């Protein structure tokens, strides 16, 4: 055991970030942590627009020992196989960013290079026809797939009610000894010599002292920014959308679709996230290009069914804290930074912060080398995700609209420009092994948004073309057959995970 172990952890703020942190940290009570306290106020609203996730959340839930069927029922969830992008290159065009793998490489040559050559000759189908998740998504189907090969192995995430998920994790956490303190935090006490946080001061009651503090106070960053002055790096020049308006609506007459939809609009884009009991909707927009009232009117005019609440607005700024860990405070969720939800990464970034904290869990000495490495890895990951999100704006094809014209003309980070240039020339793509988005994700978005390679890998010409045509057709047929054998998502939910 560490010579000076952490005994007392205080999580400031609830919501999804706070209760994810509390649930994961509750496992440390078996390692000598004697108390975990979560402080939150019922009078402070949480930001609940994030209802779509990406597949790593299944790893987080499995780490906690959560049963998937029970979780989906309790959060009124549905399954997600990808994101449908509508209107990003022209008003009528659409493509999907699916989860899971496309067809595999052949004799060491990348599949997309082979596809590029054959598709130009009319000898291959659409790129997405070689991905099981995309094929099943367009058919509104969800099932076990065929685990015999990566191409027919299902990969999925969830749509769920974020407030219900926070409540689900609260029950989980409290059952494992986490103490919840209700009330507003009115001040923060620091140790005189070090500046480390000593306690948070409650509006009514005694100070809550701790060794380690987790800041889940949202955009305001009560601990990490207002107290410890971590600093903020603004990315608004790359990601100009700075507001959102959101509203739930009833289901319409259409099927329960197993994917998120992101529809490009004149001044931003609209999300559509179907759950069992409703559809979550929102318009992410640039306040420099549309008024709040006009944005709300646009959203309300493009719903599947009757609205179930009044629309509510949210202001934000894309960017990150310069340091997510300062002294004895770690910021998670919106307190650590914000990237708009175009690729449903918000909840994952909370998960990633928790995972790294557990991997580098400190003692009360708070070794600065440990903190520096946490910050380096956190900054690197959010910058990689940032580049992927900027790609959607940079590669748009919406000509004649001021927001989109400016995004197409803007200078992007060198790390992204280098990737786009290399791919546009020869279809080559290289990624960091620990990067969140796989090669398949980058390929789906770049090809979907017409970042088309000028040529293909010359090694393709060394392979027998007739054999390639046959292999691709067999793969496409097999993927289609596996997808068509699945039940509709609505049937799967009704049989196994329907909410009460």
């Amino acid at each position: 055991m560490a010579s000076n172990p952490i005994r007392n952890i205080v999580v400031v703020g609830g919501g999804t970030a706070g209760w994810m942190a509390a649930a994961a940290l509750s496992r440390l009570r078996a390692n000598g942590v004697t108390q975990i306290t979560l402080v939150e106020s019922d009078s402070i609203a949480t930001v609940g627009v994030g209802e779509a996730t990406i597949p790593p959340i299944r790893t987080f839930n499995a780490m906690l020992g959560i049963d998937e069927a029970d979780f989906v029922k309790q959060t009124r969830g549905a399954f997600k196989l990808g994101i449908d992008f509508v209107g990003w290159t022209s008003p009528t065009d659409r493509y999907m960013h699916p989860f899971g793998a496309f067809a595999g490489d052949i004799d060491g040559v990348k599949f997309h290079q082979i596809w590029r050559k054959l598709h130009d000759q009319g000898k291959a189908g659409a790129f997405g026809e070689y991905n099981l998740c995309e094929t099943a998504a367009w058919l509104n189907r969800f099932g076990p797939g065929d685990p015999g090969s990566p191409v027919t192995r299902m990969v999925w995430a969830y749509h769920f009610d974020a407030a219900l998920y926070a409540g689900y994790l609260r029950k989980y956490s409290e059952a494992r000894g986490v103490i919840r303190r209700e009330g507003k935090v009115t001040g923060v006490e620091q140790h005189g010599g070090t500046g480390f946080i000593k306690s948070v001061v409650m509006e009514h009651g005694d100070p809550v002292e701790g060794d380690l503090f987790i800041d889940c106070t949202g955009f305001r960053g009560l601990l990490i920014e207002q107290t410890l002055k971590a600093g903020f790096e603004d990315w608004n020049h790359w990601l100009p959308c700075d507001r959102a308006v959101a509203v739930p609506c009833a289901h319409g007459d259409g099927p329960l679709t197993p994917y998120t939809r992101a529809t490009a609009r004149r001044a931003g884009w609209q999300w559509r996230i179907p759950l069992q009991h409703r559809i979550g909707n929102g318009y992410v927009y640039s306040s420099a290009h549309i008024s709040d009232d006009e944005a709300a009117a646009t959203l309300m005019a493009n719903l599947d069914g009757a609205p179930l609440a009044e629309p509510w607005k949210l202001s934000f700024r894309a960017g990150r804290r310069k340091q997510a860990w300062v002294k004895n405070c770690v910021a998670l969720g919106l307190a650590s930074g914000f990237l708009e939800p175009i690729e449903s990464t918000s909840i994952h970034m909370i998960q990633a912060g928790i995972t790294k904290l557990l991997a580098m869990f400190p003692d009360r000495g708070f070794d600065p080398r440990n903190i520096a490495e946490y910050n380096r890895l956190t900054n690197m990951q959010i910058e990689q995700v940032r580049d992927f999100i900027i790609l959607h704006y940079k590669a748009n094809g919406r000509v004649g609209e001021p927001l989109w014209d400016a995004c197409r003309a803007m200078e992007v980070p060198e790390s992204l420009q280098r990737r786009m240039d290399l791919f546009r020339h020869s279809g080559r793509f290289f990624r960091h092994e620990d990067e969140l988005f796989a090669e398949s994700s980058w390929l789906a978005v770049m090809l979907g948004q017409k970042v088309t390679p000028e040529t293909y890998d010359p090694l393709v010409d060394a392979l027998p073309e007739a054999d390639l045509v046959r292999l691709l057709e067999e793969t496409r047929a097999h993927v289609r057959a596996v997808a068509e054998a699945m039940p509709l998502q609505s049937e799967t939910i009704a049989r196994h995970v329907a909410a009460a």
Side-chain angles (χ1 to χ4, degrees):
M1 183 176 290
S3 59
N4 195 12
I6 298 289
R7 296 293 188 189
N8 192 345
I9 302 173
V10 179
V11 181
V12 182
T16 305
W19 286 111
M20 284 180 71
L25 293 170
S26 69
R27 300 166 65 243
L28 297 175
R29 285 176 55 79
N31 294 65
V33 174
T34 56
Q35 184 167 311
I36 300 172
T37 305
L38 185 143
V39 178
E40 68 175 341
S41 171
D42 291 333
S43 64
I44 299 177
T46 58
V47 178
V49 298
E51 296 174 329
T53 58
I54 56 178
I57 193 171
R58 297 178 61 215
T59 303
F60 182 80
N61 285 351
M63 178 186 76
L64 299 181
I66 289 174
D67 177 73
E68 181 182 60
D70 182 62
F71 150 73
V72 175
K73 288 179 184 178
Q74 297 300 324
T75 60
R76 300 181 183 179
F79 299 98
K80 175 184 173 183
L81 298 177
I83 305 173
D84 171 24
F85 288 93
V86 179
W88 289 74
T89 56
S90 74
T92 58
D93 193 24
R94 73 193 308 174
Y95 74 92
M96 182 168 288
H97 168 198
F99 300 142
F102 290 85
D105 303 343
I106 299 174
D107 290 343
V109 180
K110 293 288 185 180
F111 166 72
H112 72 274
Q113 298 279 9
I114 297 169
W115 173 86
R116 169 79 170 83
K117 174 184 177 180
L118 298 184
H119 187 261
D120 277 3
Q121 298 176 3
K123 298 177 181 178
F127 194 60
E129 293 182 286
Y130 304 91
N131 181 287
L132 177 61
C133 290
E134 176 165 344
T135 304
W138 293 132
L139 297 172
N140 299 311
R141 296 180 180 272
F142 178 81
D146 172 13
S149 78
V151 179
T152 52
R153 187 178 301 139
M154 285 293 279
V155 179
W156 65 91
Y158 310 103
H159 297 147
F160 56 67
D161 187 312
L164 292 179
Y165 185 51
Y168 186 89
L169 293 179
R170 174 181 170 180
K171 291 179 182 178
Y172 176 98
S173 303
E174 291 182 325
R176 288 157 179 80
V178 174
I179 299 169
R180 179 183 182 271
R181 290 280 301 271
E182 156 64 27
K184 290 184 179 179
V185 175
T186 57
V188 180
E189 294 182 334
Q190 295 173 265
H191 290 281
T194 63
F196 276 53
I197 295 174
K198 178 182 179 182
S199 66
V200 291
V201 181
M202 306 296 291
E203 185 177 29
H204 303 291
D206 298 328
V208 181
E209 296 186 348
D211 303 320
L212 172 65
F213 290 80
I214 311 298
D215 188 345
C216 300
T217 61
F219 291 123
R220 61 180 178 149
L222 175 63
L223 306 183
I224 197 70
E225 188 62 46
Q226 294 186 20
T227 302
L228 297 175
K229 313 299 182 186
F232 186 78
E233 185 173 308
D234 194 315
W235 292 338
N236 182 249
H237 52 293
W238 289 317
L239 298 170
C241 291
D242 58 355
R243 294 189 188 177
V245 56
V247 67
C249 77
H251 282 283
D253 297 329
L256 183 61
T257 53
Y259 51 85
T260 302
R261 179 174 296 145
T263 302
R265 302 283 183 209
R266 176 174 64 82
W269 60 276
Q270 180 177 333
W271 78 73
R272 177 187 180 275
I273 302 173
L275 285 69
Q276 290 189 36
H277 61 307
R278 61 174 169 82
I279 297 175
N281 308 276
Y283 186 4
V284 176
Y285 61 95
S286 164
S287 61
H289 295 86
I290 193 173
S291 70
D292 293 344
D293 289 345
E294 188 179 357
T298 300
L299 175 64
M300 300 301 282
N302 289 280
L303 302 179
D304 286 38
L308 301 177
E310 291 297 317
W312 59 278
K313 298 181 178 68
L314 173 70
S315 297
F316 50 79
R317 204 158 190 86
R320 63 164 172 84
R321 302 289 175 209
K322 293 181 179 179
Q323 298 178 88
W325 185 342
V326 179
K327 300 184 184 296
N328 62 335
C329 174
V330 177
L332 295 175
L334 300 177
S336 67
F338 178 78
L339 291 172
E340 62 165 76
I342 187 68
E343 284 287 347
S344 309
T345 53
S346 297
I347 289 176
H348 177 76
M349 298 307 289
I350 300 168
Q351 175 184 342
I354 293 169
T355 301
K356 284 191 279 289
L357 175 59
L358 291 174
M360 304 180 194
F361 197 74
D363 60 19
R364 280 186 283 185
F366 289 95
D367 188 332
R369 292 165 294 190
N370 197 50
I371 295 173
E373 183 65 5
Y374 180 96
N375 286 326
R376 185 187 72 82
L377 293 174
T378 298
N379 291 346
M380 180 176 67
Q381 182 177 55
I382 195 170
E383 288 169 7
Q384 291 168 346
V385 175
R386 173 204 67 192
D387 282 4
F388 189 56
I389 293 175
I390 294 172
L391 168 66
H392 298 67
Y393 285 89
K394 176 67 174 178
N396 84 83
R398 297 181 66 92
V399 178
E401 295 173 319
L403 169 67
W404 298 106
D405 288 344
C407 288
R408 207 166 43 254
M410 69 181 172
E411 291 188 10
V412 298
E414 186 275 335
S415 50
L416 172 59
Q417 191 64 57
R418 184 177 66 251
R419 282 183 162 179
M420 292 181 68
D421 290 344
L422 181 63
F423 187 80
R424 187 175 275 118
H425 174 257
S426 59
R428 291 191 169 94
F429 179 84
F430 301 94
R431 65 185 288 275
H432 302 286
E433 290 184 2
D434 57 351
E435 193 170 340
L436 173 60
F437 286 103
E439 178 182 78
S440 59
S441 294
W442 283 88
L443 293 176
V445 174
M446 286 196 286
L447 292 173
Q449 294 201 198
K450 315 302 184 187
V451 182
T452 305
E454 296 169 3
T455 184
Y456 56 83
D457 187 337
L459 293 178
V460 175
D461 291 333
L463 302 176
E465 185 172 301
D467 290 347
L468 296 179
V469 172
R470 175 181 53 79
L471 284 171
L472 262 64
E473 184 53 37
E474 289 175 354
T475 300
R476 180 169 63 162
H478 182 53
V479 165
R480 182 79 183 188
V482 172
E484 289 180 339
M486 296 177 187
L488 292 171
Q489 180 192 206
S490 56
E491 296 172 351
T492 298
I493 289 175
R495 291 173 186 168
H496 303 294
V497 293

